[in-house]
Amino acid sequence: FQPWVINGVVEPPANPLTISQTCVRFNDIDNVGKTGRHFTMFEMIAHHAFNKKDSFIYFKDRTVELCHELFTKELGIDENEPTYIEEWWEGGGNSGPCFEAIVRGVELATLVFMMYEETAQGRKNLPMQVVDTGYGLERFAWVSQGVPNAYEAVFPQLGGKLKQMLRLDVDMHILKRYSALCSKADVHSQGAIRAVKEELSIELKMDFEHLSSLLRPFEQIYTILDHTRGLMFLLNDGVVPSNVKDGYFARLLARRAMRAMDLLELDASLSDVVGWQIEEYSNYFPELGKNRETILQLSRVEEAKFERAMEKGKAMVERIEKEGRLDLEAMIELYDSHGMDPETVSQCAKSPPVIPDNFYALVAQRHENPLDENKTTTREIPGGSTELLYYQDDTVQSFQAKVTAVLEEGVVLDKTAFYPEGGGQETDYGTINEFKVSFVEKAGTAVLHHITGEWKFSVGEVVTGIVDWERRKQLTRQHTATHIINAAARKVLGKHVMQTGAHKSEEIARLDITHYEGISHEDLRKIERIANDIVLENREISQSVLPRDEAEGKYGYTLYQGGAVPGRDIRVVNITDWDVEACGGTHLHNTGEVGFIKLLRAKRIQDGVVRLEFTSGSSAVSTVQELDRSVETMAKSLGSPKGDVPKALLSLLTEHEMIKEELKELKRGAINNAAKDLSNEGKTVSGINLI
């Protein structure tokens, strides 16, 4: 609900609210498998209350009462066992006091009271006071079952399977004491974990190295169980493993899991274990079963990439060490680019580097908030709000409006039919009182029209605007074609396909999608064929404005192709039974108006992202005609019909290769003959032949 509910953009679905949500978190990744309680993927159950000035629900006292009643009356915990420790909480730019609810040394819940906004100017009161609780379902299972740790509670079947495959056996008391001491010490580093093991070795009167050797395979198994489960859910949600953004975290889980499997010499692949996880969870999450093949395919692709990266990485370690720069930055780069964890780097290096305790947390932190080089700040534009006529009637080509502000670049109007650049769609062109409009931008609720030439306008003046309609129609075709192609790509390549970016100009458009490999010519043709079938079917395209929560409830979060959009209400573009997206661009009324779609090429622009370049409408026709002219020119040069150009070209290339071989033979013969002639002309001096 941050920031939408707190900022008043949307209302919560209920108030008070009770929810359960699957979460992923990576700041504790170094502790996963070791402490007995840390997970990268977990189920968070919670109850919330949103208190406004005119509507108070409940706050601190009632929140603690509800938590205590759950523990004691519903779960049967002795009423003297829960301990509530007051702390301070910060997250998402907000803050407030909180209580950590502890039972038997395990933090079962955190009760947060969100009261403040953290700003550059200092701490400010929020417009509402929010109860934000979090109860760890996995930890509830652990405490209620009395097993040694949370992993044994959450993964009884699959954990047992892996232990049986490895023929592992250990005194459960050792695991139980290890987890208990970790909870008591509240460990957050490898050094702290080592200290716990030292304490346990003294308590058990056991050699430290022997104890560590007993615990190590269990730590690796728990890591595999947690990471493959988290990976399964990320892949199911359409995340494609890569070196950037969300894809990086999927890759981090996959490679840490594979590394643990290698250390254990487990006779199973990553996709095997992910497949077993799907079997365990598909009864509770049916979509996992439906997406099984896609999830497993992505897992297999990541396995192959990991093997190739490791081969290249070992040579890089040797080179980097020779250059004398095998430091933390180099190690993170080796892990990011080649999947080489610090332990592997140490094995390959002549002088093992120093490995920080929180290495993986540092790696994850680097990718949690990547620097956006393209990020720009929204400029302040005077003149008040501009009414957007193209949303009311998208056929308006000319209009009259009043000037509300005059700037150096141009004017702000009280209403406009000019579409400003946004959502990957280029700006409209046209004229205002016969002066050329070269660019249109929107900042907040105001629209600024950039005007070229020696113009002069005054505030309050009524002007006439005329939109370059041919340009608008072509940009609209390109935008609608983008939606059609996006859905076609998902149908051909898999449900993991999501839009990551797009740009629409008159001549050419591009769509960037998530995909784990390059797109073959055959698949490209399939996407083009399906997209044009949708065009020919002349499907209706509806455009409606819905409250955000209603739209999300009706269509799901795949609405947000390319990222979430701001606002209490969102504009939804629905191509009947084909594609539904939140979109602020201009669109046609039916798919037939696109005319024709021509996919030009597909290329990988970064790991896990493929760019489709295409054109539509009259531009597509011009492109095909130009291609036809090129083929016709080639046909004339080859002296063959257009339909036989490939055959004639292949024949020409074959003949060319034959001539090259003949020339090589002639050159060799000429060289041999020249050598013989020189040899015959030589003289013998003191028994030595001189040429």
Side-chain angles (χ1 to χ4, degrees), residues 368-482:
E368 282 176 349
N369 296 299
L371 179 64
D372 185 356
E373 296 178 353
N374 299 317
K375 187 176 181 180
T376 57
T377 56
T378 302
R379 63 182 295 191
E380 293 288 336
I381 295 179
S385 297
T386 302
E387 184 182 350
L388 307 178
L389 299 176
Y390 50 82
Y391 284 153
Q392 300 171 19
D393 182 356
D394 58 14
T395 65
V396 173
Q397 301 181 38
S398 64
F399 64 97
Q400 287 191 324
K402 186 182 295 184
V403 176
T404 58
V406 178
L407 284 75
E408 183 179 351
E409 308 97 314
V411 296
V412 178
L413 307 178
D414 66 341
K415 63 183 72 171
T416 187
F418 287 97
Y419 181 82
E421 184 175 70
Q425 181 174 327
E426 289 188 356
T427 176
D428 280 345
Y429 293 160
T431 60
I432 294 179
N433 282 7
E434 299 182 356
F435 292 104
K436 185 178 179 181
V437 175
S438 59
F439 184 74
V440 185
E441 65 172 308
K442 186 172 184 285
T445 58
V447 176
L448 173 62
H449 306 74
H450 292 241
I451 304 174
T452 59
E454 296 182 4
W455 55 272
K456 184 177 181 180
F457 294 103
S458 57
V459 174
E461 181 180 352
V462 176
V463 297
T464 299
I466 300 177
V467 178
D468 180 341
W469 201 245
E470 288 305 312
R471 175 178 170 83
R472 161 71 76 79
K473 286 292 289 184
Q474 181 58 19
L475 291 173
T476 301
R477 290 189 193 99
Q478 300 280 55
H479 204 142
T480 297
T482 302

Side-chain angles (χ1 to χ4, degrees), residues 88 117 142 164 204 241 278 431 511 561 599 643:
W88 185 260
E117 178 185 6
W142 173 19
Q164 186 176 13
L204 298 176
I278 293 173
T431 60
L511 169 66
Q561 295 291 319
L599 285 176

